[in-house]
Amino acid sequence: MTDPLPFVIQATVAGLAAIAAGLINALAGGGSLISFPALTAIGLPAVMANITNTVALAPGYLGATVAQRQDLEGQRRRLWLLLPAGAAGGLLGGLLLLQTGERLFTQLVPFLILFASGLLAVQEPVRRWVQRRSERRGRPPSELWAVPPVFLAAIYGGFFGGGLSVIVLAVLALTLEDSLTRLNGLKQAVAFATNLTAAAFFLFSGQVAWALAAVMAIGAILGGALGGRLASRIQPATLRTVVVVVGVVVALIYVLRT
């Protein structure tokens, strides 16, 4: 076995990866496809890396929800229905992760990364489809229909998290009639509830690399702020393509390593 990397190197790599993840999440989404592999690259076991990543990036979900709080006006009933579903799914997903075991989760990692990369790749087509659907007129379906698919999406989010926002937006568009802006705000709130519940559950798992999580949390906040400043200079589609390619390459590396 090789000796673990010095903490200074681990913290530097994790911090830089978190800055990149925060920036990418602010501009295009998919930051976990950068930060999670970075944690495994510096020596963290896959389950611990996933849990640490979830805890460290939780502030970013809060920031996104606060930024779109105006889009949640008039959606109180939906929040009462869907936030508990997101929280319960995140909790169940976290529980499944801890029960999966290191070996099995390591085997699942490349497929999870590929799935998340695929979701990121279809993000814009999904967004356009949601926009077209929101422009139609018709009788809105019962909001109760949104609860089961949101719950299932949240289970995935608690288990891995990459691409959670895309899944949630898609299921909301399938089950609710509303504008893209309002559905996007609702998506942020559901994703935050999912991530927060999973992160809170992981606090007592003994699998959080706390020092690295603290460094990453600061890095993610800085990256998000930087992303806000660069929003007018970087094309999200270009950045999204880069992240998808990186995700596919990383997944292939994991396959070759196992």
Side-chain angles (χ1 to χ4, degrees):
M1 296 180 63
T2 58
D3 294 331
L5 293 172
F7 176 75
V8 173
I9 296 178
Q10 289 184 325
T12 300
V13 173
L16 292 175
I19 292 173
L23 186 150
I24 290 167
N25 282 336
L27 294 174
S32 291
L33 294 176
I34 303 297
S35 53
F36 169 73
L39 289 175
T40 60
I42 61 177
L44 266 65
V47 172
M48 177 176 283
N50 187 43
I51 289 175
T52 301
N53 190 61
T54 297
V55 172
L57 299 186
Y61 284 92
L62 174 60
T65 303
V66 171
Q68 292 193 256
R69 62 187 182 279
Q70 292 183 343
D71 300 321
L72 295 173
E73 293 181 1
Q75 300 198 72
R76 179 173 297 182
R77 171 177 164 78
R78 291 175 176 175
L79 291 173
W80 278 107
L81 288 172
L82 300 182
L83 292 189
L91 180 62
L92 181 56
L95 180 62
L96 289 174
L97 174 63
L98 292 182
Q99 296 298 318
T100 298
E102 188 68 38
R103 182 176 179 181
L104 177 57
F105 184 75
T106 300
Q107 294 173 342
L108 291 173
V109 161
F111 304 102
L112 292 169
I113 293 178
L114 284 175
F115 182 60
S117 300
L119 289 173
L120 189 61
V122 301
Q123 186 180 57
E124 276 308 300
V126 168
R127 191 179 297 273
R128 290 194 295 270
W129 170 73
V130 173
Q131 183 65 55
R132 290 194 302 269
R133 194 173 189 276
S134 67
E135 292 171 353
R136 296 186 207 162
R137 300 292 182 183
R139 181 182 178 184
S142 171
E143 294 170 341
L144 291 173
W145 286 106
V147 174
V150 164
F151 174 68
L152 293 175
I155 293 175
Y156 165 80
F159 188 81
F160 184 63
L164 170 63
S165 294
V166 182
I167 299 177
V168 173
L169 181 60
V171 300
L172 291 177
L174 281 170
T175 53
L176 300 175
E177 291 283 353
D178 213 327
S179 68
L180 174 60
T181 301
R182 283 166 55 82
L183 290 179
N184 200 55
L186 188 60
K187 173 208 73 177
Q188 298 288 18
V190 171
F192 172 57
T194 300
N195 183 267
L196 178 65
T197 307
F201 176 69
F202 292 147
L203 295 181
F204 308 99
S205 67
Q207 295 265 31
V208 182
W210 285 108
L212 293 178
V215 171
M216 290 180 68
I218 296 171
I221 293 172
L222 293 175
L226 180 61
R229 290 180 175 272
L230 296 178
S232 61
R233 303 180 185 180
I234 299 178
Q235 291 293 329
T238 302
L239 185 60
R240 189 178 298 111
T241 300
V242 172
V243 176
V244 169
V245 171
V246 170
V248 172
V249 171
V250 168
L252 292 176
I253 292 174
Y254 275 105
V255 170
L256 295 175
R257 286 173 52 186
T258 56

